[in-house]
Amino acid sequence: MSTDTMTTRSSVPRPAPAGRGPGGRRRRASVHPTARGIWPFVVPAAAVTALLVLLPIGYTVWLSVTDRQSDGTNAGFLGFDNYAAMFADPVFYNSLKVTLFLFVVCLFVETLLGLALGYVMSLDVPGRRIFQGMMLIPAITASVAVGLLWLLIMDPSLGAANELLAVIGIDPVVWLGDPEIAPWSIALVDIWQWTPFMALIIAAGIRSLPEEPFEAASIDGASGWRTAWNIGLPLLRPVLTVAMLLRTVDLVRFFDTIYIMTQGGPVDATNTLNVYGYNEAFVDQEPSYAATLQIALLVLVVLIAGVFTLVRRRAAK
């Protein structure tokens, strides 16, 4: 082998070993710039979340296992005595029944009406934006104001509701004084207030659906109802699940409108878990038992929201 060939081969630089730089130094594992820059934003958000969510939950759990007095003193550790008393309390089971009743009735009716109204709102007709803005007025109105408004409407002697019934020949109704009618009256108010909210979400979902499946169904001669049932609803399922999940969390925590209109009466007919817990804490001065009721409400919210989240994930697959 010639000297020139050996010189040429020896002058060719050899590749550095894996994981080492040009000078033989070991390179550090590369970190994406976004990953390095995100921590200053994540840490404060996590700290605020811990203070606003985890700390109140921890304090509520601590209250539920102690004997907190109305004057601020603590009589000692009770363990699970408050929970045992709750499971033996008939008012607790009645409040749970009222909570689930309002949840099922309101969610079912609001979803059905929201579908129909959402379809109308999705149509490209003149004045659609103005109509949408007007429909959202009940949803953006404070619940306290809504409760006061319907309290006047349902007044048994001067309210507009009984005046309308009298026009069509129906006897006056004690909307909020009859234990059989009061829960339905509260449900009516919630349906009036929040159906437009559901309709707006569903209308946005309808407008985002692809057109190709509907065109193919039209070419195949499918009817409008069959197309809506077999194509529209399956494609709209993720949007429906999100809308129902948002309303679920609010319905299980239903409080403000009920307290303004009935304070849980008559005879506990509208006494939800949230209203019962409030009355125990601030009327009967039993903060520890009220905390126990709120833990039960938290568990109920997590369970129902977990079911909807699971359904949403399956629908997204």
Side-chain angles (χ1 to χ4, degrees):
M1 184 179 292
S2 65
T3 306
D4 294 340
T5 304
M6 295 176 61
T7 304
T8 302
R9 289 184 176 180
S10 62
S11 62
V12 176
R14 296 181 179 180
R20 294 183 180 274
R25 299 186 300 272
R26 185 174 295 276
R27 296 195 304 266
R28 295 182 179 178
S30 61
V31 180
H32 197 278
T34 305
R36 288 198 301 266
I38 201 172
W39 288 108
F41 300 96
V42 171
V43 173
V48 171
T49 301
L51 288 175
L52 297 181
V53 178
L54 299 180
L55 185 61
I57 291 176
Y59 180 68
T60 305
V61 173
W62 177 77
L63 275 180
S64 68
V65 295
T66 57
D67 187 14
R68 183 82 170 184
Q69 303 298 314
S70 58
D71 58 0
T73 61
N74 200 317
F77 181 76
L78 294 179
F80 294 101
D81 290 353
N82 284 324
Y83 291 92
M86 180 183 68
F87 286 118
D89 183 6
V91 181
F92 164 73
Y93 290 104
N94 178 75
S95 301
L96 179 61
K97 182 184 72 173
V98 173
T99 302
L100 294 176
F101 167 81
L102 291 174
F103 161 68
V104 172
V105 171
C106 293
L107 186 63
F108 179 74
V109 177
E110 288 169 14
T111 303
L112 287 183
L113 293 180
L115 268 172
L117 190 58
Y119 174 74
V120 174
M121 294 172 68
S122 68
L123 299 177
D124 192 9
V125 296
R128 177 171 59 87
R129 297 184 182 276
I130 298 176
F131 176 71
Q132 288 181 353
M134 294 178 63
M135 288 298 300
L136 280 177
I137 291 177
I140 63 177
T141 304
S143 297
V144 174
V146 170
L148 291 173
L149 171 66
W150 279 92
L151 193 63
L152 294 175
I153 292 175
M154 293 180 176
D155 186 272
S157 56
L158 302 175
N162 281 339
E163 293 290 338
L164 291 176
L165 292 181
V167 171
I168 58 178
I170 299 178
D171 294 334
V173 175
V174 184
W175 298 95
L176 302 175
D178 189 333
E180 298 293 331
I181 300 177
W184 294 97
S185 301
I186 296 295
L188 174 64
V189 175
D190 189 81
I191 291 168
W192 174 84
Q193 183 178 12
W194 291 108
T195 295
F197 172 78
M198 295 281 286
L200 183 65
I201 297 177
I202 294 171
I206 292 175
R207 287 195 296 269
S208 66
L209 294 179
E211 297 181 0
E212 290 80 6
F214 298 96
E215 293 175 354
S218 177
I219 293 174
D220 291 339
S223 63
W225 284 106
R226 185 176 295 274
T227 302
W229 182 262
N230 294 327
I231 297 177
L233 281 180
L235 291 175
L236 200 61
R237 189 182 304 166
V239 176
L240 284 175
T241 306
V242 171
M244 293 173 70
L245 177 60
L246 293 175
R247 287 301 303 135
T248 292
V249 176
D250 279 342
L251 283 170
V252 177
R253 298 183 297 108
F254 204 0
F255 172 78
D256 37 16
T257 305
I258 296 176
Y259 198 80
I260 289 296
M261 298 184 70
T262 64
Q263 292 82 46
V267 198
D268 293 333
T270 59
N271 195 23
T272 62
L273 280 175
N274 223 354
V275 175
Y276 186 32
Y278 178 89
N279 288 330
E280 285 294 311
F282 299 104
V283 177
D284 296 337
Q285 299 293 312
E286 294 288 345
S288 291
Y289 189 64
T292 307
L293 294 171
Q294 296 308 304
I295 293 296
L297 179 62
L298 175 63
V299 171
L300 182 62
V301 170
V302 171
L303 288 176
I304 297 178
V307 171
F308 274 92
T309 303
L310 181 62
V311 172
R312 178 174 175 268
R313 289 181 179 178
R314 290 186 176 180
K317 292 183 180 179

